[in-house]
Amino acid sequence: MKFTIQKQISLFLLSAAGFCIAADAQSYRLPGAHTDEHRDLIAAQENIDNRIKVENTQQFLDNLFKEEEEPELDIYTEGWNSKLVNPYSSIDVPDSKVIDVSNFVMPHPGYVTSPYGYRRRFRRQHKGVDLKVHIGDTIRAAFDGKVRLTNFERRGYGYYVIVRHTNDLETVYGHLSKFLVEPDQYVKAGDPIALGGNTGRSTGPHLHFETRYMGYPINPSAIFDFANQTVHTDTYTFTKKTYQQARNYDPAANSEYAKAYQAEYLKNHPQPERATAVRSAKQHNTYTVRKGDSLSRIASRNGVSVKQICRLNGLKTTSTLRPGQRLKLR
């Protein structure tokens, strides 16, 4: 009996050791200074009482993907000018590539209104993230590089810019209102390249932002931590197995950042523009349900959580909404 117990303990320890080795092989290495900076940002934001459980987060994302507007056609494969847009279709792409992303600038400080991911309702992938912008906001180059294409896609991204960067990434900026650059122009990280807008297949002002490696649409949340306006690490390792995965995308953190962004926007806009914005913000304390609305759609577009809407209005996540119904948002 004693031998059997010892044998079981040994097998358990060997299994645990194997698991740790496997996990370590998949872990990311962070430079010391950047690690400390990112840890401080996360620690300052974290609220132990308001953590969202993993299953609730997944349910939130599933509902968001299901109810969202149909994503744009992929200009790299389906757009009118796909032959011009995707120069990598006949090139072998390496299985792994370490990419330096330390010299970055956030393309716009807006919060995420639609994350990257598969939309089961439409059987289509949303291959970027949508960031909140106001028409006329400045859009900036995320890294150093050269403008490869400026174009218009009526069925998809509207006016869009593609920049090829010195770190081998390409970034795509869609639904713009005006170009500030032209093809073959060299830009530095942070240079203005366009103004935000609402062109193409868009139901409201936002920036559709993509990060690509040789045509592969990397999840931007694998590189950028949008809630903290930084990058996760100074390098990103592209692999064909993991490029669609995010790192630490948290709807709760995004919602908190959305509130801070909206408050800063009101603070920085002078009269009478600010007064108009304040009136608009007060109106958005409530929301009138329209045909086709869902809790997840209302939450994502107003920078609040489904849980908060349910709590304020005595609803369940499965409750049916009626057109004309007024909901408290804050």
Side-chain angles (χ1 to χ4, degrees):
M1 181 69 177
K2 181 177 181 182
F3 172 79
T4 301
I5 294 174
Q6 290 176 340
K7 185 176 180 180
Q8 291 176 342
I9 293 173
S10 298
L11 289 172
F12 174 78
L13 292 175
L14 286 172
S15 299
F19 175 81
C20 290
I21 292 171
D24 186 67
Q26 298 296 321
S27 61
Y28 298 92
R29 296 182 60 193
L30 286 79
H34 197 91
T35 302
D36 293 338
E37 179 184 357
H38 196 258
R39 186 187 300 113
D40 291 341
L41 285 168
I42 296 297
Q45 180 189 73
E46 187 175 22
N47 186 332
I48 301 298
D49 293 332
N50 292 325
R51 284 180 177 170
I52 294 182
K53 295 180 180 179
V54 173
E55 58 269 24
N56 290 341
T57 300
Q58 188 59 55
Q59 183 182 18
F60 175 89
L61 293 176
D62 287 344
N63 289 335
L64 180 64
F65 297 164
K66 180 179 180 181
E67 299 295 341
E68 199 171 39
E69 296 291 343
E70 182 176 2
E72 305 91 337
L73 294 174
D74 181 3
I75 54 174
Y76 272 67
T77 58
E78 301 175 75
W80 289 111
N81 298 290
S82 61
K83 291 182 180 179
L84 293 175
V85 173
N86 186 8
Y88 304 107
S89 57
S90 60
I91 299 177
D92 290 334
V93 179
D95 290 329
S96 179
K97 169 73 174 180
V98 178
I99 302 170
D100 184 356
V101 295
S102 58
N103 182 31
F104 76 97
V105 170
M106 302 300 289
H108 185 269
Y111 55 92
V112 176
T113 59
S114 175
Y116 179 107
Y118 183 67
R119 303 309 192 243
R120 286 182 291 187
R121 180 179 179 183
F122 304 108
R123 298 181 182 180
R124 181 177 294 172
Q125 190 86 354
H126 185 223
K127 295 181 178 179
V129 298
D130 292 343
L131 301 177
K132 174 64 179 177
V133 302
H134 297 87
I135 294 176
D137 281 356
T138 302
I139 308 302
R140 301 181 183 277
F143 307 99
D144 295 349
K146 181 180 286 188
V147 178
R148 185 162 68 76
L149 185 65
T150 60
N151 210 341
F152 177 76
E153 174 51 69
R154 177 178 58 84
R155 300 185 305 164
Y157 298 4
Y159 291 104
Y160 66 89
V161 174
I162 299 179
V163 182
R164 179 177 290 179
H165 300 290
T166 55
N167 60 5
D168 294 330
L169 287 178
E170 285 195 338
T171 49
V172 181
Y173 311 78
H175 305 302
L176 309 171
S177 61
K178 183 179 181 180
F179 300 133
L180 301 179
V181 292
E182 56 188 24
D184 295 326
Q185 180 177 337
Y186 185 80
V187 294
K188 300 287 288 182
D191 282 353
I193 59 173
L195 301 181
N198 186 30
T199 58
R201 193 186 186 103
S202 174
T203 57
H206 70 278
L207 172 68
H208 176 81
F209 176 62
E210 295 183 10
T211 48
R212 299 246 181 180
Y213 174 67
M214 299 188 74
Y216 277 75
I218 298 168
N219 187 337
S221 294
I223 298 173
F224 293 94
D225 179 353
F226 292 100
N228 288 304
Q229 295 290 284
T230 184
V231 289
H232 291 290
T233 54
D234 286 341
T235 60
Y236 167 74
T237 301
F238 165 86
T239 72
K240 292 180 179 178
K241 292 183 178 180
T242 63
Y243 72 91
Q244 298 185 58
Q245 298 175 7
R247 281 195 276 180
N248 302 329
Y249 177 72
D250 182 357
N254 184 60
S255 179
E256 288 300 312
Y257 177 69
K259 295 175 185 176
Y261 172 85
Q262 291 167 337
E264 188 69 15
Y265 177 78
L266 296 178
K267 176 182 175 183
N268 291 331
H269 283 72
Q271 299 284 359
E273 189 176 4
R274 181 181 175 184
T276 302
V278 169
R279 287 195 298 271
S280 176
K282 288 181 179 179
Q283 291 172 356
H284 289 146
N285 286 332
T286 61
Y287 180 85
T288 302
V289 177
R290 294 175 291 182
K291 185 178 180 180
D293 274 339
S294 66
L295 286 171
S296 58
R297 179 182 297 178
I298 295 169
S300 65
R301 291 181 176 176
N302 290 277
V304 298
S305 67
V306 172
K307 183 178 179 181
Q308 180 173 329
I309 294 176
C310 290
R311 176 175 57 80
L312 291 174
N313 297 276
L315 300 175
K316 297 180 180 179
T317 56
T318 56
S319 296
T320 300
L321 300 179
R322 305 182 310 277
Q325 180 180 357
R326 290 187 68 81
L327 297 177
K328 294 179 181 179
L329 299 178
R330 298 174 179 83

